[in-house]
Short mmCIF file of all heavy atoms in Angstrom, two decimals:
data_model
loop_
_atom_site.label_atom_id
_atom_site.label_comp_id
_atom_site.label_asym_id
_atom_site.label_seq_id
_atom_site.Cartn_x
_atom_site.Cartn_y
_atom_site.Cartn_z
N SER B 92 -25.96 41.72 9.67
CA SER B 92 -25.71 41.56 11.23
C SER B 92 -25.21 40.12 11.51
O SER B 92 -25.73 39.20 10.97
CB SER B 92 -26.99 41.92 11.98
OG SER B 92 -28.02 41.00 11.73
N PRO B 93 -24.28 40.09 12.50
CA PRO B 93 -23.77 38.75 13.02
C PRO B 93 -24.81 37.93 13.63
O PRO B 93 -25.50 38.39 14.53
CB PRO B 93 -22.61 39.21 13.90
CG PRO B 93 -22.98 40.58 14.37
CD PRO B 93 -23.77 41.25 13.26
N ARG B 94 -25.00 36.76 13.09
CA ARG B 94 -25.93 35.88 13.64
C ARG B 94 -25.30 34.64 14.37
O ARG B 94 -25.93 34.12 15.37
CB ARG B 94 -26.77 35.16 12.54
CG ARG B 94 -27.64 36.14 11.83
CD ARG B 94 -28.90 36.44 12.66
NE ARG B 94 -29.57 35.23 13.20
CZ ARG B 94 -30.45 34.47 12.55
NH1 ARG B 94 -30.80 34.75 11.43
NH2 ARG B 94 -30.95 33.45 13.11
N ALA B 95 -23.99 34.23 14.09
CA ALA B 95 -23.36 33.13 14.67
C ALA B 95 -21.87 33.26 14.52
O ALA B 95 -21.36 33.93 13.51
CB ALA B 95 -23.88 31.81 14.18
N VAL B 96 -21.07 32.60 15.41
CA VAL B 96 -19.68 32.55 15.37
C VAL B 96 -19.29 31.11 15.38
O VAL B 96 -19.84 30.32 16.14
CB VAL B 96 -19.15 33.27 16.60
CG1 VAL B 96 -17.57 33.07 16.78
CG2 VAL B 96 -19.38 34.84 16.51
N ILE B 97 -18.27 30.76 14.69
CA ILE B 97 -17.68 29.42 14.63
C ILE B 97 -16.12 29.46 14.78
O ILE B 97 -15.53 30.36 14.15
CB ILE B 97 -17.99 28.63 13.39
CG1 ILE B 97 -19.53 28.54 13.11
CG2 ILE B 97 -17.26 27.33 13.40
CD1 ILE B 97 -19.92 28.03 11.68
N ASN B 98 -15.71 28.86 15.74
CA ASN B 98 -14.09 28.78 15.90
C ASN B 98 -13.71 27.28 15.68
O ASN B 98 -14.34 26.39 15.94
CB ASN B 98 -13.88 28.99 17.47
CG ASN B 98 -13.59 30.39 17.72
OD1 ASN B 98 -12.99 31.14 16.80
ND2 ASN B 98 -13.90 30.92 18.92
N LEU B 99 -12.59 27.36 14.91
CA LEU B 99 -11.80 26.12 14.69
C LEU B 99 -10.77 26.02 15.79
O LEU B 99 -9.86 26.90 15.80
CB LEU B 99 -11.26 26.00 13.27
CG LEU B 99 -12.27 26.12 12.20
CD1 LEU B 99 -11.54 25.96 10.80
CD2 LEU B 99 -13.34 25.09 12.35
N LEU B 100 -10.64 24.97 16.54
CA LEU B 100 -9.78 24.87 17.70
C LEU B 100 -8.86 23.77 17.36
O LEU B 100 -9.29 22.57 17.18
CB LEU B 100 -10.58 24.71 18.95
CG LEU B 100 -11.55 25.76 19.34
CD1 LEU B 100 -12.17 25.52 20.67
CD2 LEU B 100 -10.90 27.24 19.44
N TYR B 101 -7.50 24.06 17.35
CA TYR B 101 -6.58 23.08 16.87
C TYR B 101 -5.87 22.26 18.07
O TYR B 101 -5.39 21.11 17.76
CB TYR B 101 -5.47 23.76 16.07
CG TYR B 101 -5.99 24.37 14.79
CD1 TYR B 101 -6.57 25.68 14.80
CD2 TYR B 101 -6.05 23.53 13.68
CE1 TYR B 101 -7.14 26.08 13.49
CE2 TYR B 101 -6.61 24.03 12.51
CZ TYR B 101 -7.06 25.42 12.54
OH TYR B 101 -7.66 25.79 11.37
N ASN B 102 -5.80 22.68 19.24
CA ASN B 102 -5.23 22.00 20.27
C ASN B 102 -6.36 21.40 21.12
O ASN B 102 -7.49 21.95 21.35
CB ASN B 102 -4.44 22.94 21.20
CG ASN B 102 -3.24 23.44 20.39
OD1 ASN B 102 -2.65 22.64 19.75
ND2 ASN B 102 -2.98 24.78 20.64
N GLN B 103 -6.22 20.20 21.69
CA GLN B 103 -7.13 19.33 22.35
C GLN B 103 -7.81 20.16 23.44
O GLN B 103 -9.00 19.88 23.69
CB GLN B 103 -6.45 18.14 22.83
CG GLN B 103 -7.44 17.09 23.11
CD GLN B 103 -6.75 15.71 23.27
OE1 GLN B 103 -5.47 15.60 23.19
NE2 GLN B 103 -7.48 14.69 23.49
N ASN B 104 -7.20 20.95 24.08
CA ASN B 104 -7.79 21.64 25.36
C ASN B 104 -8.12 23.08 25.08
O ASN B 104 -8.39 23.88 26.04
CB ASN B 104 -6.85 21.57 26.60
CG ASN B 104 -6.64 20.01 26.99
OD1 ASN B 104 -7.71 19.41 27.02
ND2 ASN B 104 -5.52 19.61 27.25
N ASP B 105 -8.10 23.58 23.84
CA ASP B 105 -8.35 24.98 23.49
C ASP B 105 -9.75 25.42 24.02
O ASP B 105 -9.91 26.64 24.36
CB ASP B 105 -8.31 25.24 21.97
CG ASP B 105 -6.83 25.57 21.65
OD1 ASP B 105 -6.07 25.71 22.49
OD2 ASP B 105 -6.59 25.66 20.32
N TYR B 106 -10.66 24.43 23.95
CA TYR B 106 -12.13 24.89 24.35
C TYR B 106 -12.23 25.36 25.85
O TYR B 106 -13.05 26.05 26.16
CB TYR B 106 -13.04 23.69 24.04
CG TYR B 106 -12.88 22.57 25.04
CD1 TYR B 106 -13.74 22.42 26.20
CD2 TYR B 106 -11.91 21.71 24.85
CE1 TYR B 106 -13.63 21.40 27.03
CE2 TYR B 106 -11.73 20.53 25.69
CZ TYR B 106 -12.48 20.45 26.84
OH TYR B 106 -12.46 19.39 27.72
N ARG B 107 -11.13 25.00 26.69
CA ARG B 107 -11.19 25.44 28.01
C ARG B 107 -10.33 26.78 28.23
O ARG B 107 -10.42 27.20 29.30
CB ARG B 107 -10.54 24.34 28.94
CG ARG B 107 -11.30 23.19 28.93
CD ARG B 107 -10.94 22.24 29.92
NE ARG B 107 -9.67 21.39 29.48
CZ ARG B 107 -9.09 20.60 30.32
NH1 ARG B 107 -9.68 20.25 31.41
NH2 ARG B 107 -7.92 20.01 29.88
N ARG B 108 -9.72 27.36 27.21
CA ARG B 108 -9.01 28.60 27.25
C ARG B 108 -9.99 29.79 27.79
O ARG B 108 -11.11 29.79 27.25
CB ARG B 108 -8.30 28.92 25.98
CG ARG B 108 -7.20 27.94 25.65
CD ARG B 108 -6.49 28.34 24.50
NE ARG B 108 -5.87 29.59 24.61
CZ ARG B 108 -5.60 30.29 23.46
NH1 ARG B 108 -5.68 29.82 22.28
NH2 ARG B 108 -5.21 31.54 23.55
N LYS B 109 -9.36 30.58 28.57
CA LYS B 109 -10.20 31.66 29.07
C LYS B 109 -10.83 32.52 27.88
O LYS B 109 -11.96 32.92 28.02
CB LYS B 109 -9.26 32.51 29.96
CG LYS B 109 -10.06 33.76 30.68
CD LYS B 109 -9.19 34.46 31.54
CE LYS B 109 -9.85 35.54 32.32
NZ LYS B 109 -8.97 36.23 33.20
N VAL B 110 -10.03 32.89 26.95
CA VAL B 110 -10.47 33.80 25.82
C VAL B 110 -11.64 33.14 25.09
O VAL B 110 -12.55 33.80 24.59
CB VAL B 110 -9.35 34.30 24.95
CG1 VAL B 110 -8.79 33.07 24.07
CG2 VAL B 110 -9.71 35.33 24.10
N ILE B 111 -11.63 31.76 24.93
CA ILE B 111 -12.60 31.02 24.20
C ILE B 111 -13.84 31.16 25.10
O ILE B 111 -15.03 31.33 24.50
CB ILE B 111 -12.17 29.53 23.91
CG1 ILE B 111 -10.98 29.62 23.08
CG2 ILE B 111 -13.30 28.85 23.32
CD1 ILE B 111 -11.03 30.11 21.73
N LEU B 112 -13.81 30.79 26.26
CA LEU B 112 -14.94 30.77 27.21
C LEU B 112 -15.60 32.31 27.25
O LEU B 112 -16.73 32.41 27.28
CB LEU B 112 -14.49 30.39 28.62
CG LEU B 112 -14.10 28.87 28.69
CD1 LEU B 112 -13.61 28.53 30.06
CD2 LEU B 112 -15.21 27.92 28.35
N GLN B 113 -14.66 33.29 27.38
CA GLN B 113 -15.27 34.67 27.31
C GLN B 113 -15.88 34.94 26.11
O GLN B 113 -16.91 35.63 26.04
CB GLN B 113 -14.13 35.61 27.52
CG GLN B 113 -13.45 35.57 29.09
CD GLN B 113 -12.19 36.57 29.01
OE1 GLN B 113 -11.45 36.69 28.06
NE2 GLN B 113 -11.99 37.06 30.15
N GLY B 114 -15.34 34.54 24.95
CA GLY B 114 -16.11 34.79 23.71
C GLY B 114 -17.40 34.02 23.60
O GLY B 114 -18.35 34.72 23.15
N LYS B 115 -17.51 32.90 24.04
CA LYS B 115 -18.74 32.11 24.11
C LYS B 115 -19.82 32.95 24.85
O LYS B 115 -20.91 33.02 24.49
CB LYS B 115 -18.50 30.68 24.74
CG LYS B 115 -19.66 29.76 24.62
CD LYS B 115 -19.36 28.48 25.17
CE LYS B 115 -20.48 27.42 25.07
NZ LYS B 115 -20.19 26.10 25.45
N VAL B 116 -19.36 33.33 26.16
CA VAL B 116 -20.32 34.05 26.97
C VAL B 116 -20.77 35.34 26.31
O VAL B 116 -21.96 35.80 26.38
CB VAL B 116 -19.62 34.33 28.39
CG1 VAL B 116 -20.56 35.24 29.28
CG2 VAL B 116 -19.47 32.91 29.16
N ALA B 117 -19.84 36.08 25.82
CA ALA B 117 -20.03 37.36 25.15
C ALA B 117 -21.00 37.16 23.98
O ALA B 117 -21.89 38.06 23.77
CB ALA B 117 -18.79 37.99 24.69
N CYS B 118 -20.82 36.22 23.19
CA CYS B 118 -21.77 35.95 22.17
C CYS B 118 -23.18 35.69 22.64
O CYS B 118 -24.13 36.18 22.05
CB CYS B 118 -21.31 34.74 21.27
SG CYS B 118 -19.87 35.04 20.30
N ALA B 119 -23.25 34.85 23.64
CA ALA B 119 -24.53 34.55 24.34
C ALA B 119 -25.13 35.82 24.83
O ALA B 119 -26.41 36.04 24.62
CB ALA B 119 -24.34 33.58 25.37
N ASP B 120 -24.50 36.80 25.46
CA ASP B 120 -24.98 38.00 25.84
C ASP B 120 -25.58 38.94 24.82
O ASP B 120 -26.50 39.62 25.05
CB ASP B 120 -23.87 38.79 26.69
CG ASP B 120 -23.56 38.05 28.02
OD1 ASP B 120 -24.29 37.18 28.48
OD2 ASP B 120 -22.55 38.46 28.64
N LYS B 121 -24.95 38.84 23.60
CA LYS B 121 -25.31 39.70 22.54
C LYS B 121 -26.38 38.93 21.57
O LYS B 121 -26.72 39.54 20.58
CB LYS B 121 -24.19 39.99 21.65
CG LYS B 121 -23.14 40.86 22.24
CD LYS B 121 -23.51 42.26 22.04
CE LYS B 121 -22.32 43.17 22.52
NZ LYS B 121 -22.47 44.65 22.39
N GLY B 122 -26.74 37.75 21.91
CA GLY B 122 -27.71 36.92 21.19
C GLY B 122 -27.11 36.34 19.85
O GLY B 122 -27.80 36.09 18.94
N ILE B 123 -25.77 36.15 19.84
CA ILE B 123 -25.10 35.61 18.69
C ILE B 123 -24.96 34.12 19.10
O ILE B 123 -24.31 33.86 20.08
CB ILE B 123 -23.82 36.37 18.50
CG1 ILE B 123 -24.09 37.75 18.12
CG2 ILE B 123 -23.01 35.76 17.33
CD1 ILE B 123 -22.82 38.61 17.97
N GLY B 124 -25.20 33.28 18.08
CA GLY B 124 -24.88 31.90 18.24
C GLY B 124 -23.45 31.50 18.30
O GLY B 124 -22.71 32.28 17.59
N TYR B 125 -23.08 30.43 19.03
CA TYR B 125 -21.69 30.16 19.11
C TYR B 125 -21.46 28.63 18.96
O TYR B 125 -22.22 27.93 19.57
CB TYR B 125 -21.06 30.71 20.31
CG TYR B 125 -19.61 30.19 20.59
CD1 TYR B 125 -18.53 31.03 19.98
CD2 TYR B 125 -19.31 29.05 21.09
CE1 TYR B 125 -17.16 30.60 20.14
CE2 TYR B 125 -18.00 28.63 21.19
CZ TYR B 125 -16.92 29.25 20.69
OH TYR B 125 -15.66 28.95 20.72
N THR B 126 -20.43 28.20 18.20
CA THR B 126 -20.08 26.79 18.26
C THR B 126 -18.59 26.81 17.88
O THR B 126 -18.07 27.69 17.37
CB THR B 126 -20.92 25.82 17.43
OG1 THR B 126 -20.59 24.53 17.75
CG2 THR B 126 -20.64 26.09 15.95
N HIS B 127 -17.96 25.61 18.22
CA HIS B 127 -16.55 25.53 17.79
C HIS B 127 -16.41 24.05 17.35
O HIS B 127 -17.17 23.03 17.72
CB HIS B 127 -15.50 25.74 18.89
CG HIS B 127 -15.74 25.11 20.13
ND1 HIS B 127 -16.27 25.66 21.32
CD2 HIS B 127 -15.49 23.73 20.49
CE1 HIS B 127 -16.27 24.73 22.26
NE2 HIS B 127 -15.95 23.66 21.86
N PHE B 128 -15.43 23.77 16.55
CA PHE B 128 -15.11 22.40 16.06
C PHE B 128 -13.70 22.12 16.37
O PHE B 128 -12.68 22.95 16.20
CB PHE B 128 -15.22 22.37 14.53
CG PHE B 128 -16.58 22.61 14.10
CD1 PHE B 128 -17.00 23.64 13.38
CD2 PHE B 128 -17.61 21.58 14.32
CE1 PHE B 128 -18.34 23.89 13.07
CE2 PHE B 128 -18.92 21.77 13.90
CZ PHE B 128 -19.24 22.90 13.25
N LEU B 129 -13.52 21.00 17.27
CA LEU B 129 -12.18 20.58 17.62
C LEU B 129 -11.61 19.92 16.53
O LEU B 129 -12.06 18.88 16.08
CB LEU B 129 -12.29 19.79 18.91
CG LEU B 129 -12.98 20.51 20.19
CD1 LEU B 129 -13.21 19.39 21.18
CD2 LEU B 129 -12.17 21.66 20.63
N MET B 130 -10.38 20.24 16.07
CA MET B 130 -9.80 19.79 14.91
C MET B 130 -9.23 18.33 15.00
O MET B 130 -9.12 17.62 14.00
CB MET B 130 -8.69 20.66 14.21
CG MET B 130 -9.16 22.00 13.83
SD MET B 130 -10.64 21.93 12.82
CE MET B 130 -9.96 21.11 11.28
#
Side-chain angles (χ1 to χ4, degrees):
S92 64
R94 291 282 314 274
V96 167
I97 299 174
N98 267 326
L99 300 184
L100 304 178
Y101 294 89
N102 295 318
Q103 201 165 0
N104 294 317
D105 274 353
Y106 70 96
R107 294 192 283 183
R108 290 180 58 199
K109 184 177 182 178
V110 70
I111 301 296
L112 296 173
Q113 287 174 333
K115 186 176 179 178
V116 169
C118 285
D120 290 346
K121 295 268 186 181
I123 299 171
Y125 175 89
T126 193
H127 57 252
F128 297 107
L129 302 171
M130 296 309 295

